[in-house]
Amino acid sequence: MSPAQLHADSIVIDGLIIAKWNRELFEDMRKGGLTAANCTVSVWEGFQATINNIVASQTLIRENSDLVIPVKTTADILKAKEQGKTGIIFGFQNAHAFEDQLGYVEIFKQLGVGVVQMCYNTQNLVGTGCYERDGGLSGFGREIVGEMNRVGIMCDLSHVGSKTSEEVILESKKPVCYSHCLPSGLKEHPRNKSDAELKFIADHGGFVGVTMFAPFLAKGIDSTIDDYAEAIEYTMNIVGEDAIGIGTDFTQGHGQDFFEMLTHDKGYARRLTSFGKIINPLGIRTVGEFPNLTETLLKRGHSERVVRKIMGENWVNVLKDVWGE
């Protein structure tokens, strides 16, 4: 099979996209052969604002039903593949939208939310993010993990502090994930995960989606798709070929105001970090260039079987487990 044929035949899943929602993005997803993606609908928003985001997103999906379909089950992912469309999984990057109500977890599951990150960079009622002193998983957080397990929402730990992450991994009865992270073995950064952290999540049945967000890559904005592939390989050598996937963290279409919102606590308070200029790795600067990743992994000596796993099959397997199918 040629690289293009393999890509067209594979299930291709992006474990985290926070790009600007519009038809242009959906068209680029189709150009890139994307089967499904975990698309962020909540970061700093509370319950009501997140509901509003979901309403707007559902409307956009309906208006562009020639390109995308909503995903609530892995069967929907396979349906998207059959129909030549992209499946949209709703995801949160912060459990803040649950507020202090356990019952909201099931409500959001019914609305199609399949992945929720426990914290976004800072403290919330569940635990602590990676940019402040980590107090670990709260008692309420343990209840949230249990409820997410029960209804079938995956616990994401990408922006979560190391102590809180460890406690979620131990508390959860279902696999948890770093949906979009990079190894600190290639670059030291508060958002990157150590070899020990990567091994720990994998040893407990967890999953790792590797990001290509330039500030976390060793060469920054000078990175290429080969640097991204190197990070995937480094991670796979630790977690194994069954626990790895893609989680690009595409921010396509957003302006500087969006990054200002992300890098301030609660979207407006103290500054947590500064990304500087953001340019995706050469060769995969847009979602439409996804086929280049399949080609790059093949060129670097990976078998078709392993490439299929990395590009999406592994995501399907772990989501099927977590979603209770």
Side-chain angles (χ1 to χ4, degrees):
M1 236 183 229
S2 71
Q5 288 171 326
L6 181 65
H7 188 83
D9 191 58
S10 297
I11 301 273
V12 179
I13 295 180
D14 194 332
L16 199 288
I17 288 184
I18 189 171
K20 192 172 181 64
W21 285 76
N22 53 32
R23 183 171 179 86
E24 185 180 3
L25 174 66
F26 295 155
E27 288 172 342
D28 214 32
M29 285 176 165
R30 291 317 314 136
K31 180 183 175 185
L34 200 57
T35 311
N38 167 25
C39 297
T40 301
V41 292
S42 185
V43 180
W44 298 117
E45 295 90 341
F47 178 83
Q48 184 62 60
T50 299
I51 289 289
N52 295 345
N53 287 348
I54 290 175
V55 169
S57 300
Q58 286 178 328
T59 301
L60 193 61
I61 290 169
R62 187 169 63 250
E63 290 172 348
N64 293 277
S65 59
D66 57 321
L67 294 172
V68 291
I69 66 170
V71 167
K72 291 188 176 182
T73 66
T74 55
D76 292 332
I77 294 174
L78 302 181
K79 185 167 80 173
K81 183 66 180 176
E82 289 167 12
Q83 295 181 359
K85 298 178 182 179
T86 300
I88 304 297
I89 305 162
F90 289 155
F92 295 176
Q93 291 213 48
N94 199 339
H96 181 61
F98 294 151
E99 298 184 351
D100 59 358
Q101 300 295 317
L102 274 178
Y104 288 176
V105 177
E106 186 167 20
I107 294 297
F108 280 121
K109 172 65 176 180
Q110 291 168 349
L111 293 175
V113 176
V115 182
V116 169
Q117 188 165 250
M118 309 313 289
C119 319
Y120 188 77
N121 293 340
T122 60
Q123 184 81 41
N124 63 17
L125 295 178
V126 168
T128 314
C130 61
Y131 281 107
E132 62 180 298
R133 186 178 60 190
D134 192 346
L137 185 65
S138 69
F140 177 68
R142 294 180 193 282
E143 291 183 277
I144 287 287
V145 171
E147 185 67 358
M148 287 172 66
N149 283 174
R150 185 184 75 80
V151 306
I153 296 177
M154 190 170 209
C155 299
D156 183 1
L157 304 170
S158 303
H159 288 249
V160 179
S162 58
K163 184 178 180 184
T164 299
S165 294
E166 180 182 342
E167 293 180 356
V168 171
I169 291 166
L170 294 174
E171 183 71 22
S172 181
K173 304 297 189 290
K174 294 279 190 175
V176 303
C177 72
Y178 297 127
S179 71
H180 58 299
C181 76
L182 280 165
S184 56
L186 293 178
K187 181 179 182 178
E188 195 62 44
H189 191 282
R191 266 281 283 111
N192 291 351
K193 307 300 181 183
S194 69
D195 289 7
E197 287 172 314
L198 294 169
K199 187 174 188 306
F200 189 80
I201 196 171
D203 286 349
H204 290 80
F207 190 87
V208 180
V210 183
T211 187
M212 57 173 205
F213 193 60
F216 310 152
L217 286 164
K219 295 180 184 174
I221 60 173
D222 296 320
S223 301
T224 69
I225 196 168
D226 276 292
D227 296 309
Y228 182 34
E230 179 191 10
I232 292 169
E233 291 160 357
Y234 183 102
T235 305
M236 185 164 63
N237 283 338
I238 296 170
V239 305
E241 66 180 48
D242 295 319
I244 191 159
I246 304 303
T248 61
D249 206 6
F250 264 116
T251 55
Q252 200 164 317
H254 284 301
Q256 187 58 35
D257 58 337
F258 173 76
F259 295 103
E260 288 298 308
M261 180 272 291
L262 289 184
T263 54
H264 285 77
D265 186 30
K266 309 299 182 284
Y268 69 89
R270 71 186 187 280
R271 176 173 288 283
L272 303 169
T273 186
S274 183
F275 295 138
K277 196 172 183 181
I278 296 170
I279 302 175
N280 291 329
L282 182 65
I284 189 165
R285 296 222 157 125
T286 64
V287 179
E289 292 185 296
F290 245 105
N292 293 346
L293 184 56
T294 295
E295 182 176 9
T296 299
L297 291 171
L298 288 170
K299 276 183 179 175
R300 292 172 70 93
H302 299 285
S303 68
E304 289 186 4
R305 179 184 61 82
V306 170
V307 172
R308 284 179 187 272
K309 284 184 173 186
I310 295 169
M311 295 304 292
E313 283 183 2
N314 286 340
W315 264 124
V316 174
N317 291 336
V318 74
L319 289 173
K320 183 177 283 191
D321 186 356
V322 173
W323 290 351
E325 299 170 12

